[in-house]
């Protein structure tokens, strides 16, 4: 086929073929079931889809794909309706479908959509390509011989010219093509070749429709191409092909990258076949652009609402001015008037007219704004519906993944899919494909045992793997669960140490739940050797990164000997969502409203400490209570409770997880369009992105699921991060500063440093530190001044400070302790271990 025609058709062909591959794979797996358990129309419907795919590939000249599908079709012709298909046949067909999918990926990338290993695939499918006849045999075969071949070649050349948008004398070229098609029809009728005559007439009609140009010409060109492919077969023309031992080269030039497409349907007029749906394919890129413009429209409506409020304010001010003017005119009239009275009355009249016009403008602006809001909401809802697709689009292809992976590993696996009818945002579906494949392969490779091991453990030899999607209001849960051996925290810790992710001491301090989450770290794999399935340390980190990018989270649960469950929590749609704007200190942040259960005020009696963690009582339940500013990495702000006032808090809830976060106040609520922060902030897990408010301010949008997960008692400490208190070391001598830093870090304390008191104060405002070790004599701000400033500030007054100095008189010690220092050391005592001893006394929880 002409390269230009292929480029215009490729995006639609690729999208449709992927749907057909998914349907074929599911139906082929269904053939393994006994006849009584199958769908009544399973085999005939499968053959129809396969035949349709074969015709599409042939019409575009994609020989590799056409030959593979033709072999699958031949194999299905031998399948009995009453008997299950053989396992080897199923696996051969699935390999063929995977090879076609890889070819489509090449075409999307602009490469030739060739299939690797065509000869081997054909042999596995029990099909050998026919030996191509010589060119003389090809020319002389068929009902019209060489004349038919010449006519066909002329028609194909005409089609190649007419698909170009810049055709000189398009009408003349169309007439010539139609005449050639009619000449072929007359020749076919003369030898009673009815099929050739019918196809030639169909080609002539298609050429006629191409004269108009535009979209109609494109559709007509597709129909003509199909007619010419059928005509080639009817004429008995067989093209020369290379031997089957090598992949057949593709005739078309590289296709451009295909845009993912979504299908939109609308009811069509009733025709001969009854009511049918008319469908068009729309590029997802186009939908994204439309959605963005609609969100801008909604945002503009909010700004218009603020301007309408401005109109009302001006109207009220005009009314006040008018009252003052009328009062002044009345007083002037009572005082006898004068030359200024008439101009003043004229001004009052003009002001009254202006006020009336302002009122009318305000009403019209409000009415127009409401109409705009309604239209924007309807468009947004329609676009959201267009983006929503059934979860089956991402779940059904897993059947082939499970079958291929289990076969390669020699395991028996029964896959159960649930929630296939749940409708998700197409962007969520596309983003979930790779993570789900990783989770499924991980479950088969690492979770499910070999049949003999399962039998020895008293389990069924066939492992059970469940993948389901659950609707959770405005969010969804994607669960991948197996009944295998479960995670082994001891082995996970050992692997983390062996791969250099942490030292043995840090690994030993992790709880089992924290150790389990190590599997999401980049580079982590418990496999000693690299295989085609695992061992490269790439996989589950992709799952975590994808979930966080989609404003979600991922968690893992396990029961030793019984199985493992991965839970991916995601929003139902990535379109604009309602957000709660809250203030902590001077920072405004947004929290998705679907995770905000309540906003409330707490008294001091409501807050306490249980097992070393701060909790608050709410509705008879003790909930984890945290400062939002500290949770998102901002400087710690004093709580209202510390000064005896009531504390504002927001209750975040998702599933069974509930956490209270302290905030300063609720600023408002607004529709938000969340934008990505780019790759440089991808590691900041508590951020979902950023949004622009009505007034133009940019605010960070928090990832509520990650905040909830991080607040769990057994996951409060970040994976691999020390739980020891952080210490600030301040000294103007680089050597002394480095020596104390090294001493404390060897003991396990994380350390930050500063070169003088002013720098130390700036560090304290940015980073939460549990203790300060400071020199006395320093430029700008010395140690005594730093101690006074720390103890005089309500946020830091409870932070212990140790002064380390060469001054050893009793007066110096007294001055330091009077300034608020909690400890006093002479520098020579540091080397004798006195510093660590004093640190442990002041931070008893770190000993």
């Amino acid at each position: 086929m002409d390269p230009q025609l292929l480029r215009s058709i490729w995006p639609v062909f690729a999208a449709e073929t992927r749907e057909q591959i998914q349907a074929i794979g599911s139906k082929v797996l269904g053939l393994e079931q006994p006849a009584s358990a199958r769908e009544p129309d399973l085999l005939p419907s499968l053959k129809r889809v396969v035949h349709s795919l074969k015709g599409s590939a042939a019409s575009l000249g994609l020989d590799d794909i056409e030959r593979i599908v033709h072999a699958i079709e031949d194999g299905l012709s031998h399948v009995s309706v009453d008997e299950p298909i053989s396992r080897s046949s199923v696996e051969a067909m699935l390999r063929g479908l995977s090879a076609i999918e890889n070819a489509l990926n090449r075409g999307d990338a602009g490469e030739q959509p060739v299939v690797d290993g065509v000869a081997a695939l054909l042999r596995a499918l029990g099909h050998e390509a026919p030996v191509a006849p010589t060119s003389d045999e090809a020319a002389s075969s068929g009902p019209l011989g060489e004349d038919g071949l010449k006519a066909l070649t002329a028609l194909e050349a005409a089609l190649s010219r007419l698909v170009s948008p810049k055709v000189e004398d398009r009408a003349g070229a169309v007439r010539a093509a139609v005449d050639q098609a009619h000449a072929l029809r007359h020749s076919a009728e003369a030898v009673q070749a009815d099929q050739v005559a019918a196809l030639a007439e169909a080609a002539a009609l298609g050429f006629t429709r191409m004269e108009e140009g535009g979209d109609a010409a494109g559709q007509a060109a597709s129909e003509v191409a199909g007619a010419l492919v059928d005509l080639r077969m009817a004429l008995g023309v067989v093209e020369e092909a290379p031997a089957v031992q090598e992949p057949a080269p593709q005739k078309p030039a590289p296709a451009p990258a295909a845009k993912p497409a979504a299908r939109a349907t609308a009811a069509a007029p009733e025709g001969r076949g009854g009511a049918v749906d008319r469908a068009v394919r729309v590029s997802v890129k186009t939908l994204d652009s439309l959605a963005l413009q609609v969100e801008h429209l909604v945002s503009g409506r909010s700004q218009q609402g603020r301007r309408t409020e401005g109109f009302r304010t001006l109207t009220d001010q005009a009314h006040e001015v008018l009252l003052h003017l009328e009062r002044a005119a009345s007083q002037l009239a009572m005082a006898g008037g004068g030359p200024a009275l008439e101009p003043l009355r004229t001004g009052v009249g003009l002001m009254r007219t202006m006020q009336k016009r302002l009122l009318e403008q305000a009403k019209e602006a409000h009415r127009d704004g409401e109409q705009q809001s309604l239209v924007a909401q309807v468009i947004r809802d329609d676009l959201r519906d267009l983006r929503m697709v059934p979860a089956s689009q991402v779940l059904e292809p897993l059947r082939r993944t499970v079958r291929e992976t289990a076969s390669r590993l020699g395991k028996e696996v029964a896959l159960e899919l649930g929630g296939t009818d749940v409708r998700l945002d197409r962007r969520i579906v596309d983003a979930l494909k790779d993570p789900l494949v990783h989770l499924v392969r991980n479950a088969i490779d690492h979770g499910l045992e070999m049949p003999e091991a399962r039998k020895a453990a008293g389990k069924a030899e066939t492992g059970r793997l469940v993948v389901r999607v659950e609707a959770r209001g405005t969010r969804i849960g994607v669960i991948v669960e197996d009944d295998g051996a479960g995670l082994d925290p001891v082995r996970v810790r050992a692997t983390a140490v062996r791969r250099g992710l942490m030292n043995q001491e840090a690994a030993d301090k992790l709880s089992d739940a924290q150790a389990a989450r190590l599997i999401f770290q980049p580079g982590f794999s418990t496999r000693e050797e690299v295989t085609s399935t695992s061992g490269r340390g790439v996989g589950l980190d992709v799952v975590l990164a994808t979930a966080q990018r989609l404003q979600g989270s991922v968690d893992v649960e396990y029961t030793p000997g019984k199985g493992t469950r991965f839970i991916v929590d995601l929003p139902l749609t990535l379109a604009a969502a309602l957000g709660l704007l809250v203030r902590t200190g001077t920072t405004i942040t947004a929290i998705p409203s679907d995770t905000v259960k309540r906003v409330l005020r707490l008294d001091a009696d409501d807050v306490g400490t249980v097992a070393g963690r701060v909790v608050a009582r709410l509705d008879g339940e003790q909930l984890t209570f945290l400062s939002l500013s500290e949770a998102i990495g901002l400087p710690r702000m004093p709580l209202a409770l510390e000064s005896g006032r009531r504390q504002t808090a927001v209750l975040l809830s998702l599933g069974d997880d509930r956490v209270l976060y302290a905030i300063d106040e609720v600023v408002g609520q607004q529709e938000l369009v969340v934008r990505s922060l780019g790759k440089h902030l991808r590691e900041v897990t508590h951020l979902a992105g950023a949004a622009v408010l009505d007034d133009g301010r940019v605010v960070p949008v928090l990832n509520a699921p990650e905040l909830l997960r991080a607040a769990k008692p057994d996951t409060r400490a970040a994976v691999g991060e020390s739980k020891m208190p952080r210490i600030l070391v301040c000294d103007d001598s680089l050597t002394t500063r480095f020596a104390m830093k090294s001493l404390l870090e060897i003991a396990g304390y994380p350390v930050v440093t500063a070169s003088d008191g002013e720098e130390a104060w700036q560090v304290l405002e940015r980073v939460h530190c549990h203790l300060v070790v400071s020199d006395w004599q320093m430029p700008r701000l010395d140690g005594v001044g730093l101690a006074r400033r720390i103890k005089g500030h309500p946020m830091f007054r409870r932070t212990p400070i140790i002064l380390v100095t060469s001054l050893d008189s009793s007066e110096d010690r007294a001055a330091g302790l009077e300034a608020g220092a909690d400890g006093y050391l002479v520098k020579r005592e540091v080397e004798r271990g006195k510093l660590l001893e004093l640190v442990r006394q002041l931070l008893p929880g770190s000993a």
Side-chain angles (χ1 to χ4, degrees):
M1 172 173 284
D2 180 76
Q4 188 171 359
L5 179 57
L6 177 63
R7 284 195 294 271
S8 66
I9 295 175
W10 178 263
V12 174
F13 168 76
E16 184 178 44
T17 300
R18 285 189 171 91
E19 291 180 5
Q20 291 170 327
I21 288 174
Q22 177 181 323
I24 294 170
S26 298
K27 291 178 183 294
V28 165
L29 289 170
L31 289 178
E32 287 188 308
Q33 300 176 352
S36 58
R38 296 180 193 169
E39 298 176 8
D41 192 39
L42 180 62
L43 186 57
S45 64
L46 171 58
K47 290 180 178 180
R48 285 195 296 270
V49 178
V50 171
H51 187 74
S52 176
L53 175 54
K54 184 182 75 169
S56 299
S59 67
L60 295 185
L62 302 177
D63 298 335
D64 285 0
I65 296 177
E66 190 272 336
R67 292 162 70 193
I68 297 296
V69 180
H70 181 63
I72 293 175
E73 186 177 41
D74 278 357
L76 291 174
S77 66
H78 303 297
V79 174
S80 171
V81 178
D82 301 322
E83 296 293 333
I85 192 173
S86 69
R87 183 185 184 115
S88 60
S89 296
V90 170
E91 292 176 356
M93 291 179 185
L94 294 180
R95 285 198 300 273
L97 294 175
S98 296
I100 294 173
E101 199 160 20
N102 291 335
L104 293 177
N105 294 336
R106 289 177 173 173
D108 291 345
E111 302 174 6
Q112 289 188 343
V114 296
V115 177
D116 291 328
V118 174
L121 289 169
L122 290 175
R123 284 195 297 270
L125 290 165
H127 188 274
E128 296 292 342
V131 178
T134 64
S135 57
D136 292 338
E137 291 172 336
S140 61
S141 62
L144 297 178
E146 186 175 354
D147 292 339
L149 177 59
K150 290 181 179 179
L152 177 63
T153 302
L155 291 174
E156 289 176 340
L159 177 61
S160 297
R161 288 195 304 274
L162 287 170
V163 293
S164 173
K166 299 179 180 179
V167 180
E168 295 182 4
D169 190 16
R170 174 178 287 274
V174 166
R175 284 195 300 273
V178 171
D179 291 342
Q180 290 168 342
H182 284 159
L184 178 59
R185 187 196 70 187
H186 295 319
S187 298
E189 289 174 347
V191 295
Q192 297 182 345
D194 296 337
Q195 184 181 10
V196 173
L199 289 170
E201 182 61 26
L205 292 173
F207 278 123
T208 302
R209 291 173 52 204
M210 292 184 69
E211 185 173 352
E212 301 175 4
D215 294 339
Q219 185 176 357
S222 178
E223 294 174 0
V224 171
L228 295 184
V229 169
D230 292 340
L231 190 57
R232 177 175 288 271
M233 297 176 64
L235 288 169
V237 178
V238 181
E239 295 183 359
E240 295 185 24
V244 296
Q245 282 75 14
E246 297 293 334
Q250 300 296 310
K251 290 184 294 184
K259 302 175 182 177
R263 177 178 289 174
T265 60
E270 187 169 329
R272 289 180 299 174
V276 295
D277 281 346
R278 298 177 61 189
V280 295
R281 291 185 180 274
V282 181
S283 165
V284 169
K285 184 177 180 180
T286 301
L287 284 181
D288 286 342
S289 177
L290 286 173
L292 179 61
Q293 300 310 316
V294 170
E295 300 310 336
H296 285 325
L297 179 63
V298 173
S299 178
R301 167 63 191 111
S302 299
Q303 294 174 0
Q304 185 181 10
R306 293 176 63 247
R307 286 194 293 271
T308 301
E309 290 298 323
F311 264 124
R312 292 176 179 172
T313 301
L314 285 175
T315 302
D316 293 340
Q317 291 174 351
H319 181 66
E320 291 294 328
V321 172
L322 184 61
L323 289 178
H324 285 297
L325 291 176
E326 288 177 338
R327 190 177 298 115
S330 297
Q331 292 174 352
L332 188 60
M334 293 176 63
L341 182 59
E342 278 306 313
L344 183 58
R345 286 176 172 170
T346 301
V348 169
L350 291 173
M351 195 67 192
R352 189 175 290 111
T353 301
M354 184 184 298
Q355 181 195 23
K356 183 178 180 181
R357 292 185 63 184
L358 276 174
L359 282 171
E360 292 173 351
Q361 290 289 333
K363 289 179 180 178
E364 290 179 7
H366 178 73
R367 185 168 55 250
D368 293 344
E370 290 300 314
Q371 181 68 23
Q372 186 180 8
S373 293
L374 178 61
V375 171
Q377 186 61 47
V378 171
I379 295 174
R380 183 164 61 178
D381 290 344
D382 287 346
L383 276 173
R384 187 173 299 177
D385 288 341
L386 283 177
R387 302 196 71 103
M388 304 301 277
V389 296
S392 59
Q393 289 199 9
V394 72
L395 295 182
E396 287 295 338
L398 295 176
R399 295 188 187 276
R400 284 192 289 130
T401 301
V402 170
R403 183 59 181 269
E404 293 168 0
T405 306
S407 176
R408 184 166 58 248
L409 296 175
K411 297 182 178 181
E412 297 289 340
V413 181
L415 174 65
E416 300 177 16
L417 300 179
T420 54
D421 293 333
V422 176
R423 297 184 67 80
L424 314 176
D425 191 313
R426 175 60 184 260
R427 289 169 292 184
I428 296 283
V429 168
D430 290 341
L432 272 178
K433 289 179 180 178
D434 285 344
L436 274 180
V437 168
H438 287 305
L439 286 173
V440 164
R441 287 178 174 168
N442 179 78
I444 299 173
D445 191 20
H446 296 276
L448 297 174
E449 312 95 328
M450 296 297 289
E452 55 272 17
R454 292 181 61 86
K455 186 176 181 180
K459 299 180 179 180
E461 294 186 18
T462 299
R464 180 172 176 265
L465 178 60
V466 179
V467 184
R468 66 180 184 274
V469 176
E470 297 178 351
R472 300 174 175 177
T474 58
R475 303 188 70 81
I476 59 165
V478 182
I479 293 91
V480 179
E481 183 177 9
D482 66 72
D483 66 346
L487 281 175
D488 183 355
V490 175
R491 187 181 180 192
V492 170
R493 289 187 184 93
T495 301
V497 174
R498 186 177 69 253
R499 293 189 177 272
L501 298 179
M502 59 176 54
N503 58 37
Q504 186 63 55
E505 183 180 1
D508 292 339
K509 292 179 181 179
L510 294 177
S511 67
D512 285 350
Q514 288 175 316
R517 288 194 63 81
L518 284 172
I519 62 178
F520 295 110
Q521 293 295 299
F524 187 91
S525 175
T526 57
R527 276 279 184 267
E528 298 290 346
E529 72 284 351
V530 175
T531 69
S532 60
T533 306
S534 63
R536 295 174 173 82
V538 178
L540 294 183
D541 59 317
V542 173
V543 180
L544 178 61
T546 302
Q548 292 171 346
R549 178 166 52 85
L550 296 176
Q551 307 166 38
S553 65
V554 59
D555 211 346
V556 58
E557 301 172 355
Y558 66 95
T559 303
K562 294 187 177 180
T564 307
R565 175 187 297 159
F566 290 89
I567 306 101
V568 184
D569 179 88
L570 298 170
L572 186 65
T573 176
L574 295 180
L578 199 62
L580 185 73
L581 304 177
V582 302
R583 180 179 64 82
T584 52
T586 59
T587 303
I588 304 296
T589 55
I591 307 175
S593 295
D594 60 353
T595 57
V596 178
K597 191 72 173 178
R598 290 170 60 183
V599 177
L600 61 155
R601 290 183 179 272
L602 298 172
D603 294 317
D605 295 339
D606 297 325
V607 181
T609 304
V610 175
R613 64 188 181 102
V614 181
V615 298
R617 288 188 298 273
L618 180 64
D619 300 332
E621 183 182 0
Q622 290 181 337
L623 303 176
T624 299
F625 179 58
L626 301 171
S627 166
L628 183 62
S629 60
E630 286 189 82
I632 61 178
L634 297 175
R636 183 186 182 278
M637 303 300 295
L639 299 178
L641 293 173
E642 296 177 11
S643 57
R645 295 178 288 114
R646 301 184 76 190
Q647 176 67 55
T648 304
V650 58
L651 174 61
L652 302 186
S653 176
L654 197 61
D656 296 330
D657 297 330
R658 305 203 318 158
V659 178
L660 279 165
Y661 275 103
I663 61 173
D664 289 333
E665 68 170 332
V666 174
V667 178
Q669 201 170 24
Q670 183 180 319
E671 287 275 357
L672 301 175
V673 181
V674 184
R675 300 294 175 218
S676 170
L677 294 174
K679 62 181 180 180
H680 299 295
L681 293 176
R682 190 172 297 165
E683 300 301 321
V684 185
T685 58
H686 64 264
L687 287 182
V692 181
L693 302 183
D694 294 344
D695 57 8
R697 287 181 296 170
V698 178
V699 297
V701 180
L702 302 183
N703 187 338
E706 185 62 26
L707 288 176
L708 283 159
R709 189 203 64 78
K712 292 181 180 179
D714 55 357
T715 57
R716 285 287 306 280
V719 173
E721 181 180 330
S722 171
K723 298 168 65 175
M724 300 289 280
R726 184 183 290 109
I727 297 176
L728 169 61
V729 171
C730 177
D731 197 298
D732 61 334
S733 168
L734 176 62
T735 302
T736 304
R737 191 164 68 240
F738 181 78
M740 288 194 293
K741 178 177 184 293
S742 300
L743 179 66
L744 292 168
E745 286 182 335
I746 291 173
Y749 295 98
V751 177
V752 292
T753 61
S755 59
D756 59 37
E758 285 292 348
E759 185 180 349
W761 183 253
Q762 295 171 7
V763 171
L764 283 173
E765 290 182 322
R766 297 194 314 268
V767 181
H768 179 57
C769 297
H770 299 82
L771 183 142
V772 178
V773 179
S774 175
D775 185 21
W776 182 309
Q777 295 175 317
M778 296 180 297
R780 297 205 294 175
L781 181 64
D782 62 16
V784 172
L786 177 62
R788 289 197 178 101
R789 186 178 293 185
I790 288 174
K791 296 302 181 179
H793 196 282
M795 186 188 305
F796 306 120
R797 62 174 180 265
R798 297 179 184 175
T799 303
I801 180 169
I802 299 173
L803 290 179
V804 180
T805 178
S806 57
L807 304 175
D808 194 19
S809 67
S810 58
E811 293 82 3
D812 293 329
R813 287 179 180 268
L817 296 175
E818 183 183 355
D822 299 274
Y824 190 98
L825 287 177
V826 179
K827 288 190 176 179
R828 63 176 175 271
E829 295 178 322
V830 173
E831 299 177 0
R832 301 174 187 168
K834 295 291 186 181
L835 176 60
L836 285 177
E837 182 180 331
L838 187 54
V839 166
R840 287 167 179 153
Q841 289 176 6
L842 294 173
L843 297 173
S846 67

